[in-house]
Amino acid sequence: MATMRYTKDHEWIRLDGEVATVGITEHAQQQLGDIVYVELPELGRKVDKGGEAAVVESVKAASDVYAPASGEVVAVNQALDGTPGAVNEEAEGKGWFFRLKLANASELDALMTDEQYKDYLATLS
Amino acid sequence: MTQAPDITEPQAAEPQAAEPTTIAPEAAPSVAAPAEASAVAADDALPQAAPQSLRQTPLHALHVTRGGRMVPFAGYDMPVQYAGGIIAEHNHVRTQAGLFDVSHMGQAFLAGADHETVARALEELVPGDILGLAPGRQRYTQLLDENGGILDDLMVTRSADPAEDGVLMLVINAATKEADYAHLTARLPGNIKLIRAEHRGLVAVQGPMAVQVVGRHCPEAVPLHFMSAISTRFDGIDCHISRSGYTGEDGYEISCKATRLRAIVERLLSEPVVKLIGLGARDSLRLEAGLCLYGHDIDTTTSPVEAALTWSIGKRRREHGDFPGAERVQRELRDGAARLRVGIKPEGRAPAREGTAIKSADGRTIGKVTSGGFGPTVNGPISMGYVEHGFTAPGTPVALIVRDKKLAASVVALPFVPHRYARGA
């Protein structure tokens, strides 16, 4: 079964077997507003937990997206090149950013569960 | 995810119009704008309750009720967008009619014995032809410092009412209000009075359907041409309406007493084609229209010639050179400016924002982006900025350095989206 976790920087990461998919949360999408460009990492790039891995640009501003865990980029969502608005439509589905082959799956243990992330969002408002 | 600070500072606003006892102001062709605000994803970037020090316009409660996402801008708590989002708001203005609250801008009157007296006094501070302004006409100009740098850009309107001969209405940027008033007060002769119209509010109605909707409530506004203005009534409410704006579209700016502004706005919003538009779309609309935002595209380091605002310098003024910084302006007109504001079109999809370095094909830095982002009507990234003399011709290839990578781009003519002003015959 897939494991879904969240970061305080509003990324989500979903582990299916050895590969984890990463994106920004529904909350982040709402706050950013219309997304017009996503800069994705190169395939094969090694990213460190907490390191810059992608950039998402709304009409107003550019925001960094950090890797929720360390690993190697094994896939990127090419569809975002032509339709970055997919992130607004379905941030935690078809609006995914990239996939990582994790260096250490236990890094996810320190991230928030769905319930913990909801509680965290409640503290922000 | 964290947001890289972007457009945040509350630098400027834009110029529009103003009025005396009965008159009021309106909007500007090239000027001002919205900067905005926080995007949002990191907790500290989340919208927060406005600090008490932020000022509110007469429409603040309406913005909040209507779902406006409020952000600090030029000292005011202003809506950056409403529920539909910036792109939808932008497209609505291009196809129907959008309503903008621009009450944060400064409105004031200059009053003297007659038009010649007040016009000559203002001409001491600006390069525009104010003397030649006909009754009911409006002009865009700039307050210049002794070096020809731009202290602010503004709209100047001559009252259409013969009983108000000697009155000019000014609309200045919100962020520069206090400095502008101090500048004017210190330099205007004793026989010219500066009257701040802080009791007035200002809204803009912009888009191809603006003439129909405003005309239903104020038929006198229909025959106005671009950059003309009248004192009239909107459903019986005294106001001053000018045909101008900051979007490149046809439209109006309506000034009235702050206490009556909401009544006018409610009437406008009862029209199905009118929607409220926030600062975010105001910025993308003016960028596509090639209009300057004070504090970003123009400031005290830029002259009107460098800023490609030469069209706004009166012919007589150029010849006489009787305005602040005239030596520099005349030299730049004669010899060409060392740099010029131009449009820049990135080739891919990545936006090149304010501060981005512009390089020549051989890798030398030749300028800097002063405004940049995504143009919804263009459906792609657009920027404007300054490039050195020799690189200003449309079609010149340049490189933009975004996150340490070179993006191919070219110099293009402004505006990105053709203006659709009601210029008349």
Side-chain angles (χ1 to χ4, degrees), chain A residues 29-51:
Chain A
Q29 167 285 113
Q30 278 181 14
Q31 294 298 321
L32 288 169
D34 298 318
I35 288 164
V36 299
Y37 180 72
V38 178
E39 184 174 286
L40 297 167
E42 312 83 66
L43 284 177
R45 185 172 142 199
K46 298 244 182 8
V47 297
D48 295 327
K49 178 180 166 73

Side-chain angles (χ1 to χ4, degrees), chain B residues 311-331:
Chain B
W311 58 270
S312 69
I313 306 174
K315 183 164 178 271
R316 167 179 53 87
R317 308 303 313 279
R318 296 180 204 193
E319 288 164 6
H320 293 189
D322 52 353
F323 53 86
E327 192 185 331
R328 170 185 181 181
V329 168
Q330 288 179 316
R331 185 181 68 243

Side-chain angles (χ1 to χ4, degrees), chain B residues 73-156:
Chain B
F73 178 72
Y76 284 79
D77 193 35
M78 298 293 287
V80 65
Q81 64 166 87
Y82 301 85
I86 295 174
I87 293 177
E89 289 174 20
H90 177 111
N91 291 333
H92 189 84
V93 173
R94 290 271 185 253
T95 55
Q96 300 187 61
L99 176 59
F100 303 77
D101 178 12
V102 283
S103 301
H104 57 306
M105 301 195 62
Q107 302 184 60
F109 302 101
L110 284 187
D114 51 33
H115 178 67
E116 181 170 351
T117 305
V118 71
R120 288 202 184 279
L122 183 57
E123 284 194 353
E124 293 287 321
L125 307 175
V126 305
D129 176 6
I130 308 303
L131 195 58
L133 202 53
R137 296 289 295 169
Q138 184 174 42
R139 196 150 279 170
Y140 168 74
T141 190
Q142 309 85 33
L143 283 177
L144 298 183
D145 65 20
E146 291 307 313
N147 302 312
I150 302 173
L151 294 164
D152 195 11
D153 60 348
L154 70 160
M155 296 295 284
V156 179

Side-chain angles (χ1 to χ4, degrees), chain A residues 9-11 31 60 64 66, chain B residues 1-2 6 40-41 87 353:
Chain A
D9 293 322
H10 309 284
E11 289 98 8
Q31 294 298 321
K60 295 180 295 174
D64 288 322
Y66 303 113
Chain B
M1 195 180 93
T2 354
D6 188 30
V40 180
I87 293 177
R353 301 182 187 272

